[in-house]
C-alpha cells in the first residue's frame, strides 16, 4: 500500500534573464538549424518535460528502494507508490537514462516517440498531451541526439546550487536520500526555469508569426502581484496560453507563507497547442488546475459558465478582429462590443465571471483606454459610471517579443466600499481579505512608461524595483500594505513625509474622481491625469544662467564653423570642392 501523501510547498524560481538558461538556449538554438521556431519548440519542450518527469521518478524511486522511515516495505515497482505522491510513473523504456544511452542511434526518433506513448499509456492525465513525432523524416536524428545531451546537462548544473524546495513527496527526509537525491531535486527546479525561459525565447523567435501575443513574464507577474491572490480564492484565466499566470498565482501563495493548494485555479484557451503546453507546465510545478476537457474559444464555448471568480487575470489576444460574437449574449451587460475588435468583449467576459467581491487584472492595447469607435467609448463610459475601474497602468514600450503595439493594464473591482484587500484566513473556504479604505468614485492612474530596463537592443523588462514601485503605489492607495513590506515606497514616491498614506506624484501617479474622468471624455489614459514630472530647480538665477548658455552656444557655433572649414579644405584637396 502506498504511504499517506502529505502536501509540500515549492518555491520554484522564475525569471526571463537569470543564470545558465541563456547558455542552454544558445546551444539548443544552434541545433535548430533551419527548422521553424514554432515547430522546434515542440521538440525541445517535449524533451524538457520528459527529462523532468524522469528525474522526479528517479528521485522517488531511490527513496522507495532505500526503504527507510516512511518508505519501509515500499515496492519500487508499484505504480501506485508514485501516483500517491503525485509523481508520474515512468516505465523503463521512457526513462531518461535509456534515452540518453540511445541518443547516438539512428533510431533515436522512434525511441523518443515510444517513450512518449508509454508515458501517456501509464498516466491517463497526460493522454494526448505529449508530442509524438520525433521519428519524422524532417527531423535530423543526429541533432536530436545532440539536443538530448544538452538537456541532460541540466542535472549537472543543478548539483552546484542549493535546493529551494522540500521533498515533493511530503514525507520526512531520510538518511538514504543522500547528495544524489538533492542533486536530482535541484535539477527538477532548474527544469521548470528552463521551460519558462525557453517559452519566452521561442516567442521572440516566432515573432508575429507565433499566432498569439506572448505576454512577458514581468507583465504577468505584475498582474498577479497587483491582485495578490488570498487563501481560498478562485483564480480564473480564460486565455491562459501556456499557463504562466495561473502558475504565478500558485507561486505567489507559496512565497507569502501559504501553499499552491490554498487557491483554486480555472482556465481555458482556444489553442490546442497552448493547452498541451499548459498541462506540461502545471505538471512541472505539481499544480492542479481545472482547464476543462478540451481546448475551447471562451466566446463560443465557455468551459466554466457558472464560475464566479475572486480573481480574473488574463493576457488575451488584444485587438482581435476574428472573433465570434452572439449579439444577445448575456455577458454584454455594458453594451454590445464591435465585431471588428474583441477588446471590450474580453472585458465584459471578465466582469461576467467576477464574484461580488471579485477583482480582475488584464493587459490590453492602449487604444482600449481612449477609442470611441463602434461604440467602444460608450462601453468604457458605462464601466466607469458603474464604478468598476480601480486602477489603470500605462506600460513602457518594447516589453513584448511579438508585437510593438503599446499596452496598458486594467484593474477592475466589483467592490470599492472598503473590503477586499490583504489576505486573511477564512473559515468558509472563500477568499477573505482585510478591509480597505472606501474608494468609491475614485480611480488610480499610474504612468509607468519611463520604467523598465533594456535587456537587449529591442526588448525592455520591468525590474523587481519597478514592480515594487507600481504594486506598492496601488496597494498603498487602496489602503492596505504591500504583501512583502508595510510601506514599500520611499518618502516622496507615493507617500508623504511622516505620512504612511498615499499621495499623488506628478508624472507618475494620480488619484482621480469619476467627475474628473468624465471631464476628460471618459478617457482612461494615465498621461492625461498624472501630469508632467516635476523638474528639479538647479538654483541658478535666470539672469546668470541665460548669458552663460548663450556664451556656450556661441563657442559651439565657432567650433562648428572651424570643423566645416577643415572638411571643405580636405574635400577640395581630393578634387571634390563644395
Amino acid at each position: 500500500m502506498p504511504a499517506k501523501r502529505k502536501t509540500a510547498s515549492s518555491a520554484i524560481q522564475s525569471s526571463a534573464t537569470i543564470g545558465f538558461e541563456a547558455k542552454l538556449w544558445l546551444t539548443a538554438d544552434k541545433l535548430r538549424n533551419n527548422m521553424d521556431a514554432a515547430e522546434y519548440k515542440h521538440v525541445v519542450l517535449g524533451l524538457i518535460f520528459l527529462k523532468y518527469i524522469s528525474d522526479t521518478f528517479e528521485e522517488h524511486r531511490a527513496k522507495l528502494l532505500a526503504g527507510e522511515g516512511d518508505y519501509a516495505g515500499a515496492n519500487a515497482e508499484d505504480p501506485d507508490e508514485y501516483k500517491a505522491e503525485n509523481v508520474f510513473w515512468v516505465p523503463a523504456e521512457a526513462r531518461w537514462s535509456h534515452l540518453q544511452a540511445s541518443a547516438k542511434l539512428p533510431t533515436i526518433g522512434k525511441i523518443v516517440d515510444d517513450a512518449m506513448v508509454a508515458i501517456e499509456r501509464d498516466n491517463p492525465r497526460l493522454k494526448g498531451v505529449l508530442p509524438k513525432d520525433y521519428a519524422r523524416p524532417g527531423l535530423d536524428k543526429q541533432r536530436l541526439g545532440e539536443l538530448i545531451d544538452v538537456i541532460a546537462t541540466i542535472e549537472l548544473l543543478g548539483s552546484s546550487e542549493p535546493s529551494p524546495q522540500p521533498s515533493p513527496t511530503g514525507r520526512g527526509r531520510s538518511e538514504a536520500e543522500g547528495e544524489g537525491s538533492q542533486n536530482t531535486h535541484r535539477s527538477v527546479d532548474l527544469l521548470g526555469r528552463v521551460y519558462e525561459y525557453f517559452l519566452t525565447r521561442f516567442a521572440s523567435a516566432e515573432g508575429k508569426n507565433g499566432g498569439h501575443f506572448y505576454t512577458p513574464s514581468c507583465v504577468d507577474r505584475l498582474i498577479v502581484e497587483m491582485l495578490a491572490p488570498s487563501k481560498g480564492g478562485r483564480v480564473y484565466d480564460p486565455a491562459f496560453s501556456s499557463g504562466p499566470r495561473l502558475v504565478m498565482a500558485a507561486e505567489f501563495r507559496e512565497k507569502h507563507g501559504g501553499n499552491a493548494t490554498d487557491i483554486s485555479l480555472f482556465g481555458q484557451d482556444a489553442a490546442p497547442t497552448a493547452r498541451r503546453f499548459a498541462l506540461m507546465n502545471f505538471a512541472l510545478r505539481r499544480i492542479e488546475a481545472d482547464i476543462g476537457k478540451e481546448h475551447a474559444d471562451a466566446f463560443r464555448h465557455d468551459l466554466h459558465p457558472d464560475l464566479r471568480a475572486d480573481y480574473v487575470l488574463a493576457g488575451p489576444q488584444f485587438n482581435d478582429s476574428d472573433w465570434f460574437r452572439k449579439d444577445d449574449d448575456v455577458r454584454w451587460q455594458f453594451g454590445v462590443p464591435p465585431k471588428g475588435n474583441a477588446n471590450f468583449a474580453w472585458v465584459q467576459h471578465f466582469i461576467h465571471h467576477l464574484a461580488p467581491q471579485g477583482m480582475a487584472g488584464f493587459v490590453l492595447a492602449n487604444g482600449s483606454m481612449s477609442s470611441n469607435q463602434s461604440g467602444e467609448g460608450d462601453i468604457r463610459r458605462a464601466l466607469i459610471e458603474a464604478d468598476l475601474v480601480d486602477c489603470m497602468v500605462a506600460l513602457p514600450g518594447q516589453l513584448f517579443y511579438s508585437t510593438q503595439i503599446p499596452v496598458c493594464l486594467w484593474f477592475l473591482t466589483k467592490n470599492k466600499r472598503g473590503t477586499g484587500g490583504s489576505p486573511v484566513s477564512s473559515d468558509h473556504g472563500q477568499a477573505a481579505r482585510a478591509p480597505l479604505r472606501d474608494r468609491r468614485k475614485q480611480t488610480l492612474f499610474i504612468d509607468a512608461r519611463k520604467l523598465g530596463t533594456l535587456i537587449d537592443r529591442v526588448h525592455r523588462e520591468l525590474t523587481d524595483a519597478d514592480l515594487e514601485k507600481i504594486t506598492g503605489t496601488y496597494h498603498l492607495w487602496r489602503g492596505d500594505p504591500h504583501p512583502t513590506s508595510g510601506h514599500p515606497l520611499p518618502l516622496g514616491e507615493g507617500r508623504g513625509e511622516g505620512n504612511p498614506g498615499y499621495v499623488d506624484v506628478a508624472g507618475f501617479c494620480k488619484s482621480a474622481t469619476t467627475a474628473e474622468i468624465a471631464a476628460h471624455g471618459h478617457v482612461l489614459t494615465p498621461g492625461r491625469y498624472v501630469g508632467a514630472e516635476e523638474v528639479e530647480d538647479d538654483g541658478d538665477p535666470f539672469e546668470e544662467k541665460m548669458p552663460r548658455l548663450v556664451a556656450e552656444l556661441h563657442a559651439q557655433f565657432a567650433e562648428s564653423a572651424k570643423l566645416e572649414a577643415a572638411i571643405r579644405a580636405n574635400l577640395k584637396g581630393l578634387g571634390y570642392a563644395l
Side-chain angles (χ1 to χ4, degrees):
M1 291 293 290
K4 184 178 180 181
R5 175 185 172 191
K6 301 176 183 177
T7 303
S9 64
S10 68
I12 297 170
Q13 302 176 25
S14 63
S15 171
T17 58
I18 57 175
F20 61 90
E21 296 95 319
K23 295 178 182 178
L24 282 172
W25 166 260
L26 289 174
T27 304
D29 196 45
K30 287 179 182 177
L31 297 175
R32 176 160 69 100
N33 199 14
N34 296 320
M35 185 180 295
D36 185 73
E39 182 181 4
Y40 189 55
K41 71 179 179 183
H42 295 273
V43 175
V44 176
L45 295 177
L47 288 174
I48 291 175
F49 181 77
L50 190 59
K51 175 74 161 63
Y52 161 78
I53 62 173
S54 184
D55 279 6
T56 53
F57 171 86
E58 294 293 355
E59 176 187 36
H60 190 55
R61 185 167 183 266
K63 297 173 185 177
L64 296 176
L65 288 172
E68 296 186 5
D70 292 336
Y71 302 106
N75 180 4
E77 301 306 316
D78 181 3
D80 289 339
E81 286 284 358
Y82 299 85
K83 295 174 184 177
E85 298 290 331
N86 200 23
V87 174
F88 292 109
W89 165 259
V90 182
E93 67 270 27
R95 294 169 194 172
W96 190 260
S97 56
H98 173 64
L99 265 63
Q100 194 171 2
S102 308
K104 301 298 188 290
L105 298 179
T107 56
I108 182 59
K110 185 177 186 306
I111 291 171
V112 174
D113 283 343
D114 290 344
M116 297 293 189
V117 170
I119 290 171
E120 287 194 358
R121 179 196 66 215
D122 293 347
N123 299 275
R125 177 180 166 191
L126 296 176
K127 185 174 178 59
V129 172
L130 306 181
K132 296 178 286 293
D133 56 354
Y134 291 86
R136 65 184 184 276
L139 183 59
D140 188 316
K141 302 307 181 290
Q142 181 178 343
R143 290 179 182 271
L144 175 59
E146 293 174 3
L147 180 61
I148 289 173
D149 289 338
V150 168
I151 294 173
T153 64
I154 299 174
E155 182 175 357
L156 298 177
L157 288 163
S159 64
S160 64
E161 298 192 11
S163 176
Q165 66 174 358
S167 167
T169 64
R171 289 161 163 170
R173 185 176 184 272
S174 68
E175 294 297 324
E177 289 185 45
E179 184 62 25
S181 176
Q182 292 182 50
N183 291 348
T184 303
H185 209 8
R186 291 166 189 150
S187 103
V188 168
D189 291 328
L190 298 176
L191 279 162
R193 290 162 55 185
V194 170
Y195 188 89
E196 179 179 342
Y197 182 82
F198 274 37
L199 275 173
T200 302
R201 297 302 303 172
F202 277 122
S204 177
E206 290 178 62
K208 294 181 181 179
N209 294 325
H212 285 74
F213 297 150
Y214 179 87
T215 307
S217 61
C218 62
V219 176
D220 286 334
R221 180 181 161 195
L222 178 57
I223 293 173
V224 170
E225 294 191 0
M226 291 280 275
L227 294 180
S230 60
K231 184 176 182 178
R234 293 156 295 187
V235 182
Y236 173 56
D237 187 342
F240 58 56
S241 183
S242 59
R245 288 173 293 276
L246 294 178
V247 168
M248 288 182 185
E251 291 179 340
F252 180 89
R253 291 299 310 142
E254 294 173 338
K255 291 174 183 176
H256 294 89
N259 192 285
T261 58
D262 286 349
I263 54 178
S264 302
L265 305 177
F266 303 86
Q268 70 180 84
D269 199 281
T273 298
R275 174 184 166 80
R276 287 196 295 270
F277 282 141
L279 287 169
M280 287 191 282
N281 205 1
F282 297 150
L284 277 167
R285 306 311 207 286
R286 303 186 184 94
I287 289 172
E288 296 288 341
D290 181 354
I291 61 172
K293 296 181 179 180
E294 58 187 350
H295 64 278
D297 178 348
F299 297 126
R300 291 179 180 271
H301 182 198
D302 189 346
L303 297 181
H304 307 282
D306 299 322
L307 174 65
R308 296 298 177 264
D310 301 293
Y311 307 95
V312 174
L313 33 80
Q317 179 89 346
F318 39 80
N319 293 342
D320 186 6
S321 60
D322 184 20
W323 69 286
F324 173 80
R325 186 185 80 177
K326 182 181 178 183
D327 291 351
D328 59 350
D329 197 307
V330 67
R331 291 171 286 190
W332 312 150
Q333 301 175 41
F334 301 94
V336 179
K339 289 184 177 180
N341 194 317
N343 285 347
F344 284 96
W346 280 116
V347 173
Q348 295 187 83
H349 177 79
F350 304 149
I351 295 171
H352 175 75
H353 279 285
L354 281 179
Q357 306 288 330
M359 297 182 287
F362 48 90
V363 59
L364 283 180
N366 276 2
S368 64
M369 298 188 290
S370 59
S371 172
N372 288 313
Q373 297 180 352
S374 305
E376 289 183 326
D378 295 331
I379 297 175
R380 188 174 57 253
R381 183 183 70 247
L383 297 174
I384 295 166
E385 292 175 347
D387 208 16
L388 290 168
V389 183
D390 206 34
C391 178
M392 299 295 301
V393 181
L395 293 176
Q398 298 178 282
L399 289 175
F400 279 66
Y401 286 91
S402 50
T403 179
Q404 293 302 312
I405 298 174
V407 299
C408 61
L409 296 182
W410 289 61
F411 293 93
L412 309 180
T413 181
K414 279 201 169 182
N415 176 31
K416 294 184 181 181
R417 296 177 182 274
T419 60
S422 298
V424 296
S425 298
S426 170
D427 296 330
H428 305 291
Q430 300 300 313
R433 311 182 191 106
L436 301 176
R437 71 176 185 86
D438 188 337
R439 58 200 189 283
R440 282 175 285 180
K441 302 299 180 182
Q442 299 173 51
T443 297
L444 177 65
F445 292 91
I446 297 177
D447 190 344
R449 289 177 295 173
K450 294 183 179 180
L451 301 184
T453 300
L454 283 173
I455 57 175
D456 58 37
R457 196 166 46 85
V458 294
H459 295 128
R460 185 176 297 272
E461 187 175 83
L462 294 172
T463 65
D464 289 348
D466 296 330
L467 297 177
E468 185 72 13
K469 183 174 183 177
I470 297 169
T471 57
T473 300
Y474 177 52
H475 292 159
L476 205 59
W477 174 80
R478 292 193 317 180
D480 64 349
H482 188 276
T484 57
S485 58
H487 299 300
L489 297 178
L491 295 178
E493 292 190 10
R495 64 188 182 101
E497 185 73 37
N499 175 17
Y502 165 88
V503 294
D504 294 336
V505 177
F508 177 65
C509 58
K510 164 73 175 178
S511 181
T513 65
T514 301
E516 289 178 274
I517 298 172
H520 283 276
H522 297 95
V523 170
L524 294 174
T525 306
R528 289 207 177 196
Y529 302 92
V530 303
E533 184 178 1
E534 293 182 0
V535 179
E536 185 177 351
D537 189 355
D538 59 11
D540 289 352
F542 177 80
E543 295 78 7
E544 298 177 10
K545 183 188 298 185
M546 194 61 189
R548 185 183 75 248
L549 293 176
V550 170
E552 290 176 0
L553 183 61
H554 179 73
Q556 289 169 357
F557 281 159
E559 181 67 19
S560 174
K562 189 185 298 183
L563 291 173
E564 180 182 350
I567 293 171
R568 286 178 179 273
N570 289 335
L571 288 173
K572 185 176 181 180
L574 295 172
Y576 295 97
L578 294 175

